[in-house]
Amino acid sequence: MRQQIKINSKFENLLFYILFITFAYFIVNSFGYTMPDDGWRHLAMALYPEQVQSWGRVYPYTLYDSYDPWFVWHSFLSFLNNFVNSDKLHIFVNTLIYSLLSLWYFLALKKFTKINIVFIIILALGLPILNFRYYYLRPDILSGLFLLYFILLNNKYILVLISIIYAPFYYVFWFYFAYLSCLKLFLKEYKKFLILIAASLFGFIFYLSTNFDGYINIMQNVLNNDTLLQGYAVGESKPFLLPENIKNSLGSSKTLLLLMLFSIGLYVVLKPTHLLLKYMILFLPLFLMQYRFLHLLEPLIYIFLIYIFNRSFHIIKEEGILKFLNLIKNFIDEKTYFSNFSKRTYSFISTLLLISFFLLQYKSALNSYKNISEEFYNNSFLKEDIYKNKKILITSMGLPSYLGVFFNPTGEYIPGCSLGWVKYDKKNTKTYFDLLTNNEKISKNDFFIFLNKNDPDYLIIDTLKTNKLILNNEELKKNGFLFDKIIGSKLIFRKIQ
């Protein structure tokens, strides 16, 4: 059966993609809401541009001001909304993302392994369940898809096309282009290197011609991000395995440079011959640098692990190069009933185990996405008219603050995201960071200074997620806030007029 499928058959790949996108729709539709953070803000910007206006209006004291660096992504979502209802827009986008991941797994497994086609199809259908970050409705998911497809495909016309399409969608496209350029130059793939250089020029021309001042300002903030972060990090900006204090002391640029030198040294020592191992070594700096990059490149890691497992299995079964592995094989043959199983039985058991694994992962994902749906309904009170055009301070950073922009795009929300990109004085900046990072050592006195500095119309204290701030009604009244209502785990106070 394997010989009947041609690796480069475009028609057969198209047929498989139809299968993938059909399967993707049913899976994604069952997931429901999958955006635990920024996706809601991007969706709000796409659906309600007149109300949101700009990130600077929605998030006071941030450095975004009036420039929207993701305007192409928002325009794309807005365009899709002409054909898809807003409550189904995330389903449509995530179906497309899921199917593209399935197609990538399918092509990568055919290219790098000798696995039976049935297993390849099952893996291609099930593995995208594990890539949860791809369903956040954030433009950076395109960065991951771009990286994955650029290292997999060889057709120069397709590579040019996906590079030109990707560049306008993500304003720091140049980072991924630069890293890939270094990788391709090191691997002596000069044609791909030139494609990336040309696409980079196109990307810069696009952004500079649409809003020169806005783009230059945002790039200054990006390049100065270590200073703005002041040593803080949350979620995706944290390094993987690498101690955070090393990155903070050296700075992102020096840390990345040292990691790249380390990976090159490792490459020289190991002298890898297989393309997958080459990519794993050369992408190691990104794996270690931030969880963001690790999640985007997870599909590559899964393919590598599958390749290693598959290859190791055949070596153990056919050659038995290590005595320990031989003992295991002999034990299986002599002490168990497995030696009596036919090849078809082994395939059946493996298929059953594989499907069971994906079903368990699917169930786990469903529970996670169910929590997001519950948060969606629990925070829908923010749609009420009394919150429109109001400034709202939430005592912890989380899904409610993101959903707020979606439910009430006319409001202002504190704290915003973009850790470190604020215009506060030193004391209030620290309090802002403490709220963002759920710092349990946040000072009550500093909090009230921060509260008065921002002068919100409403204060929302989430008793399940707050930074262990112990505030009493008299203290809040003294600082100008009266208790209004309780909604779920949230205590809501309004400003005394």
Side-chain angles (χ1 to χ4, degrees), residues 218-268:
I218 205 77
M219 284 302 98
Q220 288 174 340
N221 291 331
V222 169
L223 296 173
N224 197 35
N225 197 48
D226 281 339
T227 302
L228 296 172
L229 286 171
Q230 300 184 29
Y232 289 84
V234 291
E236 64 185 16
S237 68
K238 290 182 178 179
F240 173 65
L241 296 179
L242 188 73
E244 193 172 315
N245 59 349
I246 292 179
K247 180 183 174 184
N248 290 337
S249 60
L250 292 176
S252 297
S253 299
K254 289 182 181 178
T255 303
L256 181 59
L257 179 60
L258 289 175
L259 287 173
M260 290 177 71
L261 292 174
F262 171 75
S263 71
I264 290 173
L266 191 64
Y267 188 97
V268 172

Side-chain angles (χ1 to χ4, degrees), residues 144-168:
L145 288 173
F146 168 74
L147 288 173
L148 294 174
Y149 273 96
F150 197 92
I151 63 176
L152 179 67
L153 303 176
N154 290 315
N155 187 301
K156 61 181 179 181
Y157 298 109
I158 295 179
L159 294 179
V160 169
L161 181 63
I162 64 174
S163 300
I164 291 177
I165 290 175
Y166 164 64

Side-chain angles (χ1 to χ4, degrees), residues 331-378:
F331 174 80
I332 291 173
D333 289 341
E334 297 174 8
K335 304 294 183 180
T336 72
Y337 293 104
F338 292 112
S339 59
N340 297 323
F341 288 170
S342 65
K343 185 177 180 180
R344 179 173 295 182
T345 304
Y346 272 113
S347 296
F348 174 77
I349 294 173
S350 300
T351 302
L352 191 63
L353 290 174
L354 193 59
I355 293 174
S356 299
F357 170 75
F358 285 132
L359 286 174
L360 289 173
Q361 292 300 315
Y362 174 70
K363 182 180 179 181
S364 176
L366 274 182
N367 290 334
S368 176
Y369 299 141
K370 181 181 178 181
N371 292 333
I372 294 175
S373 294
E374 290 175 356
E375 285 283 328
F376 179 86
Y377 293 108
N378 290 340

Side-chain angles (χ1 to χ4, degrees), residues 95-136:
T95 296
L96 185 61
I97 297 300
Y98 194 107
S99 64
L100 289 173
L101 282 172
S102 285
L103 180 62
W104 185 86
Y105 278 119
F106 178 74
L107 297 175
L109 286 166
K110 287 206 297 179
K111 180 175 181 177
F112 295 122
T113 72
K114 296 181 179 179
I115 298 175
N116 181 280
I117 190 64
V118 174
F119 286 105
I120 287 179
I121 294 171
I122 294 172
L123 287 166
L125 292 172
L127 282 171
I129 295 174
L130 309 180
N131 304 126
F132 59 90
R133 193 183 185 279
Y134 275 84
Y135 312 114
Y136 285 8

Side-chain angles (χ1 to χ4, degrees), residues 71-81 92-93 96 169:
F71 66 93
V72 175
W73 177 246
H74 297 150
S75 298
F76 174 66
L77 294 178
S78 180
F79 171 75
L80 292 179
N81 188 221
F92 181 87
V93 175
L96 185 61
F169 274 92

